[in-house]
Amino acid sequence: MKQEVRRTVQQTAENVPPTQRVSVSIHASDPISRAGVLSQLRQYPEIVLADHARKDRGQVALLLAGTVDDAILTHLRGLVHTDGVRVVLVVDRMREADLLDVAGCGVTSIVWRREATPARLLRAVLAAHRGDGDLPGDLLGTLLARMGRLRGDTPDPAGIAAVGMAPREVDILRLVADGLDTAEIAVKLAYSERTVKNALHNLSSRLQLRNRAHAVAYALRAGYI
């Protein structure tokens, strides 16, 4: 039976032009989880698995994580901004406050690990490759509600389309405006210096701001600080 399935997949793959196949690299700290995802995606003729040994980046990177922390955000930014690939984040759990951070890294496709069936992963990979968004329904609702609250609390200044800032970003920018450096902000807010730097980097990337002074000026004009 397994041989018949393999033969069918192979025959189907031969009918899919190479130009229509998506090269996917799998990133996971747990080799067992990585092997499981490889097994799930290998059955689809639309997918070509990147050669991990040769550090092939692929067109889409699928990153498995338990939670979203500074290390994961750094990894996401590296994949998107340095390697230039689209990313699907498969995660166990995520706080509401993490959503804007992940979006600021350029990630638009997220899958709960508990929902990561082969068909669900395929859909997310193809959506990421097209540049489309693909979020779980509960995360999409949370994101829309969060953006709505941010917009509702902040009047749009004339000629400027306000883009939501996370409360953490606003707190940091207030201290930047007061003249504090990264180390002083970290102490004041009980964050690590990396967290402060990551928050400012995400904000600058998302809003296309050139530097800290530009970020403070934008926040002032938008009514955040």
Side-chain angles (χ1 to χ4, degrees), residues 70 168 171-172 175 182-193 195-196:
D70 288 344
R168 175 167 62 183
D171 291 341
I172 290 173
L175 296 178
T182 300
E184 292 169 330
I185 293 172
V187 172
K188 190 81 171 178
L189 297 178
Y191 294 153
S192 67
E193 291 188 36
T195 295
V196 174

Side-chain angles (χ1 to χ4, degrees), residues 100-173:
L100 290 179
D101 287 339
V102 171
C105 293
V107 177
T108 59
S109 293
I110 301 173
V111 178
W112 291 126
R113 192 185 290 236
R114 62 181 178 270
E115 299 175 355
T117 63
R120 182 69 183 85
L121 291 176
L122 175 65
R123 190 183 85 186
V125 165
L126 297 180
H129 183 247
R130 293 192 304 267
D132 296 338
D134 188 0
L135 300 177
D138 54 345
L139 271 187
L140 180 58
T142 298
L143 180 59
L144 292 174
R146 180 69 176 270
M147 296 299 291
R149 289 199 300 272
L150 289 171
R151 282 183 170 274
D153 294 340
T154 307
D156 290 344
I160 297 178
V163 177
M165 288 188 188
R168 175 167 62 183
E169 294 170 340
V170 175
D171 291 341
I172 290 173
L173 282 181

Side-chain angles (χ1 to χ4, degrees), residues 77-121:
R77 279 196 299 274
L79 289 170
V80 174
H81 299 296
T82 303
D83 294 347
V85 301
R86 304 282 172 81
V87 175
V88 175
L89 174 63
V90 182
V91 65
D92 286 330
R93 55 194 178 277
M94 179 186 298
R95 300 172 303 171
E96 180 179 335
D98 296 326
L99 275 174
L100 290 179
D101 287 339
V102 171
C105 293
V107 177
T108 59
S109 293
I110 301 173
V111 178
W112 291 126
R113 192 185 290 236
R114 62 181 178 270
E115 299 175 355
T117 63
R120 182 69 183 85
L121 291 176

Side-chain angles (χ1 to χ4, degrees), residues 38-86:
L38 286 170
S39 177
Q40 287 181 305
L41 293 180
R42 191 171 281 121
Q43 63 182 294
Y44 293 109
E46 302 95 327
I47 299 295
V48 176
L49 295 171
D51 190 334
H52 185 67
R54 296 182 180 180
K55 298 182 179 181
D56 186 356
R57 296 186 179 93
Q59 297 166 295
V60 174
L62 197 152
L63 173 62
L64 280 73
T67 58
V68 175
D69 55 20
D70 288 344
I72 291 298
L73 291 174
T74 298
H75 196 166
L76 290 173
R77 279 196 299 274
L79 289 170
V80 174
H81 299 296
T82 303
D83 294 347
V85 301
R86 304 282 172 81

